[in-house]
């Protein structure tokens, strides 16, 4: 076990603290596991991969609380009188080399910078634990281990743009917004989403004032995915590119712009992201003010040219809302907001993140590939899901509209007008993988690491590094979700896996 721990640590050092899944040289997995078979070797998988060259397996070890108070346990851990370690038996969390090759990530003989590898994952106090300390300092092992049956473990998905789902519309004011948010939070666990930003589209002031105080930042758990803060998309957006946002409620900034923003939203306490159009007058001062408060500014629903967009990034904007949708189309003499992906006028050491709706409907696969190949590290998968998410085929009443759902498309009933995305996050991950031919790791990072980096949470979320929150998904080879964990606790699992 110690050998594995060291191998993991070296991997983390080489790739920096943000590695989603640590690299290991292909040869080291099986060889090292044989050396310490008593502790490390997982039982042969049903697929018979064990012992085959290039096959890697992971185990998952669970440990709770430290023997000695204040040692190894993270802040907020429950203090138990007696030491208690709890873990799981041999989790097989690896991916064979064949998976990377199939995904077209390059020659199978060359280990990618970050790759799915066979390794143990340990958890204590809701965080991912460095087992080296456990073994050598505390001289302990896990009490309990669990076999993950050859599945992949990846950081939990983070959806930074979701308007509702399961009939719930976050932009509808009611006395009990909380129960709607809670319903969505619970149901998206089955999509592998462990935290999200409930998103409000352009709304009348009363809606902001009523709804926002009812959506506090909240940790995830068995009750549902964690709420990271609200994403306010509008109302300070372009009339021309408003899309489905109601024209009557659009606003531009008044002379005292930031006061206008505060008056509009009625407070920013629960707000994490604001999407605005940077071509509106006074927008640069608003961007600076929001950024100073730690709120992420995203550019979208906009007719901005590249120069204006670059100025907005210089002022602090870090995100682009659903790239390609609701902005000027790419033009070679003025590439508009899309040009930020390859701009050389961004602040040193910073790059732009951009949301992509990879449902196979809102973005053509060729456009998805252009964006991904130009700027893979900035790609953030978002669902931009509407309340029809999860309702199934048929006609549904949503707000003032009738919506016809057919597969992954939702039309305004009787028309050809798309009424929004209804693809779950895991569907977007699979489509993105298939459409771009990227590696499994890249697809998983686009739904986990990148949104975490966007929100400055990469030490806690979007990663399986030591010390990070133990929010993760268990995925089969085809990236279908088998189980979801938050803070080391099983919060959802697929029906047939239930006892
Ligand atoms: Zn939008």
């Amino acid at each position: 076990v110690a050998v594995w721990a060291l191998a993991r640590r070296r991997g983390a050092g080489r790739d920096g603290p943000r590695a989603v899944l640590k690299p290991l040289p292909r040869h080291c997995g099986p060889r090292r596991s044989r050396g310490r078979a008593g502790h490390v070797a997982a039982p042969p998988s049903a697929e018979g991969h064990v012992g085959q060259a290039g096959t890697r397996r992971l185990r998952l070890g669970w440990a709770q609380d430290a023997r000695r108070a204040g040692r190894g346990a993270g802040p907020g851990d429950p203090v138990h009188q007696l030491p208690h370690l709890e873990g799981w038996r041999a989790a097989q969390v690896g991916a064979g080399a064949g998976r990377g090759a199939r995904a077209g990530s390059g020659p199978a003989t060359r280990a990618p910078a970050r790759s799915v590898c066979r390794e143990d994952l340990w958890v204590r106090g809701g965080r991912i634990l460095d087992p080296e300390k456990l073994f050598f300092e505390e001289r302990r092992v896990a009490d309990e281990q669990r076999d993950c049956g050859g599945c992949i473990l990846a950081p939990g998905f983070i959806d930074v743009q979701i308007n509702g789902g399961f009939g719930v519309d976050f932009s509808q004011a009611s006395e009990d917004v909380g129960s709607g948010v809670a319903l969505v939070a619970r149901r998206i666990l089955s999509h592998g989403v462990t935290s999200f930003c409930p998103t409000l589209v352009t709304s009348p002031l009363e809606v902001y004032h009523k709804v926002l105080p009812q959506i506090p930042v909240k940790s995830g758990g068995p009750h549902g995915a964690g709420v990271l803060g609200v994403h306010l998309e509008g109302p300070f957006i372009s009339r021309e590119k408003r899309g489905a946002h109601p024209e009557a409620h659009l606003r531009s900034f008044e002379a005292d712009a930031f006061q206008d923003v505060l008056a509009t939203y009625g407070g920013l306490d629960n707000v994490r992201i604001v999407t605005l159009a940077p071509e509106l007058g006074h927008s640069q001062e608003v961007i600076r003010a929001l950024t100073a408060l730690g709120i992420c500014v995203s550019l979208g629903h906009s007719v901005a040219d590249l120069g204006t967009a670059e100025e907005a990034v210089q002022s602090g904007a870090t995100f682009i809302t659903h790239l390609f949708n609701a902005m000027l189309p790419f033009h070679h003499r003025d590439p508009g907001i899309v040009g930020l992906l390859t701009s050389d006028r961004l602040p040193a050491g910073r790059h732009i993140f951009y949301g992509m709706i990879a449902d196979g409907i809102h973005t053509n696969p060729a456009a998805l590939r252009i964006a991904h190949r130009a700027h893979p590290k900035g790609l953030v998968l978002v669902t931009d899901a509407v309340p029809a998410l999860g309702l199934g085929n048929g006609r549904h009443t949503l707000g003032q509209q009738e919506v016809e759902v057919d597969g992954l498309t939702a039309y305004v009933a009787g028309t050809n007008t798309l009424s929004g995305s209804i693809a779950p996050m895991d569907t977007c991950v699979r489509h993105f993988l298939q459409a771009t031919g990227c590696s499994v790791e890249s697809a998983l990072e686009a739904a986990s690491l990148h949104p975490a980096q966007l929100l400055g949470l990469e030490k806690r979320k979007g990663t399986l590094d030591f010390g990070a929150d133990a929010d993760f998904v268990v995925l089969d080879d085809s990236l279908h979700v088998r189980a979801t964990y938050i803070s080391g606790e099983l919060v959802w699992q697929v029906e047939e896996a239930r006892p």
Side-chain angles (χ1 to χ4, degrees):
V1 175
V3 173
W4 277 100
L6 290 167
R8 175 186 172 117
R9 205 173 58 159
R10 280 202 299 276
R14 187 164 68 239
D15 293 283
R18 285 170 178 174
V20 171
L21 296 155
K22 306 302 181 306
L24 283 177
R26 280 182 68 203
H27 65 267
C28 79
R31 195 185 62 202
R32 286 172 194 231
S33 73
R34 274 201 302 274
R36 298 292 298 269
H39 269 311
V40 177
S45 70
E47 299 85 354
H49 283 328
V50 171
Q52 289 171 14
T55 300
R56 293 170 196 147
R57 296 165 299 159
L58 294 190
R59 293 196 320 174
L60 182 63
W62 244 237
Q64 279 185 352
D65 208 18
R67 174 182 284 275
R68 282 153 289 200
R71 190 163 189 183
D77 280 347
V79 178
H80 295 267
Q81 281 190 316
L82 291 171
H84 177 62
L85 289 171
E86 202 174 78
W88 286 6
R89 189 196 322 258
Q92 207 173 316
V93 194
R99 180 176 290 123
R102 187 187 66 207
S105 62
T109 49
R110 198 190 68 208
R114 278 190 288 262
S115 64
V116 177
C117 64
R118 183 179 153 211
E119 202 174 288
D120 299 344
L121 184 76
W122 296 77
V123 174
R124 171 158 66 185
R127 304 268 189 95
I128 294 168
L129 178 73
D130 177 356
E132 204 185 32
K133 289 186 182 141
L134 188 75
F135 302 135
F136 292 114
E137 294 178 19
E138 300 179 26
R139 301 193 173 276
R140 305 201 55 137
V141 293
D143 288 325
E144 195 189 328
Q145 300 173 326
R146 186 174 293 183
D147 188 344
C148 282
C151 287
I152 297 172
L153 283 198
F157 301 148
I158 300 169
D159 191 353
V160 299
Q161 188 169 6
I162 170 170
N163 305 287
F166 313 96
V168 174
D169 182 352
F170 297 142
S171 303
Q172 290 285 332
S174 79
E175 299 302 329
D176 189 16
V177 173
S179 65
V181 174
L183 172 69
V184 174
R186 192 167 64 247
R187 299 289 296 272
I188 58 179
L189 293 174
S190 68
H191 307 160
V193 177
T194 52
S195 37
F196 69 114
C197 294
T199 303
L200 268 62
V201 295
T202 295
S203 303
L205 268 55
E206 313 84 81
V207 169
Y208 294 121
H209 298 178
K210 185 148 202 167
V211 172
L212 277 176
Q214 295 187 65
I215 313 184
V217 172
K218 188 176 179 184
S219 297
H223 56 272
V227 174
L228 297 173
V230 176
H231 179 166
L232 295 172
E233 192 189 19
F236 303 100
I237 57 172
S238 157
R239 206 156 286 275
E240 210 178 304
K241 291 291 179 187
R242 66 183 183 279
H245 291 237
E247 187 170 13
H249 302 301
L250 298 182
R251 293 173 75 91
S252 48
F253 299 114
E254 303 298 323
D256 198 356
F258 189 61
Q259 287 310 312
D260 187 28
V261 170
L262 287 176
T264 301
Y265 296 140
L268 294 167
D269 282 352
N270 298 332
V271 177
R272 194 67 190 241
I273 304 174
V274 171
T275 292
L276 54 78
E279 70 273 20
L280 298 178
H282 303 287
S283 65
Q284 302 299 335
E285 61 181 274
V286 171
I287 293 170
R288 282 191 290 272
L290 289 172
T291 304
L293 289 173
I295 293 171
C296 164
V297 174
S298 186
L299 311 177
H301 287 274
S302 159
V303 293
D305 58 18
L306 179 56
T308 306
E310 286 169 334
E311 196 188 340
V313 176
Q314 299 280 353
S315 296
T318 53
F319 195 39
I320 302 171
T321 297
H322 46 55
L323 188 80
F324 298 128
N325 291 285
M327 60 187 61
L328 293 179
F330 180 84
H331 187 282
H332 57 292
R333 279 192 293 278
D334 187 352
I337 289 176
V338 179
L340 287 176
L341 268 60
T342 52
S343 170
D344 58 1
R345 296 190 54 219
L346 304 185
R350 265 183 51 199
H351 71 74
I352 192 86
F353 290 95
Y354 58 100
M356 291 291 298
I357 310 170
D359 64 351
I361 292 152
H362 281 75
T363 315
N364 185 285
L368 197 54
R369 285 191 284 273
I370 286 174
H372 178 250
R373 290 180 194 178
H375 184 29
K377 287 188 179 333
L379 198 150
V380 174
L381 291 175
V382 298
T383 61
D384 200 10
V386 294
L389 168 74
L391 290 186
N393 288 347
R395 203 171 264 231
H396 306 286
T397 307
L398 294 164
Q400 311 304 309
Q401 277 182 336
E402 280 244 298
V403 173
E404 185 89 43
V405 172
D406 180 13
L408 283 183
T409 49
Y411 294 109
V412 175
T415 74
N416 290 328
T417 306
L418 280 173
S419 118
S421 158
I422 49 168
M425 182 57 100
D426 58 317
T427 302
C428 293
V429 172
R430 291 190 296 272
H431 176 74
F432 174 62
L433 174 72
Q434 183 258 323
T436 61
C438 70
S439 64
V440 168
E441 295 83 349
S442 297
L444 296 172
E445 283 183 347
S448 55
L449 178 67
H450 297 172
Q453 290 172 328
L454 168 70
L455 299 176
L457 298 172
E458 69 272 18
K459 289 207 173 8
R460 297 288 302 270
K461 308 275 186 200
T463 171
L464 298 180
D465 274 325
F466 301 147
D469 294 345
D471 297 356
F472 57 86
V473 276
V474 180
L475 303 155
D476 67 18
D477 275 7
S478 57
L479 300 190
H480 285 86
V481 180
R482 307 286 303 171
T484 305
Y485 289 81
I486 293 179
S487 297
E489 199 175 344
L490 176 67
V491 293
W492 181 85
Q493 77 183 122
V494 74
E495 202 68 56
E496 68 255 36
R498 287 179 193 149

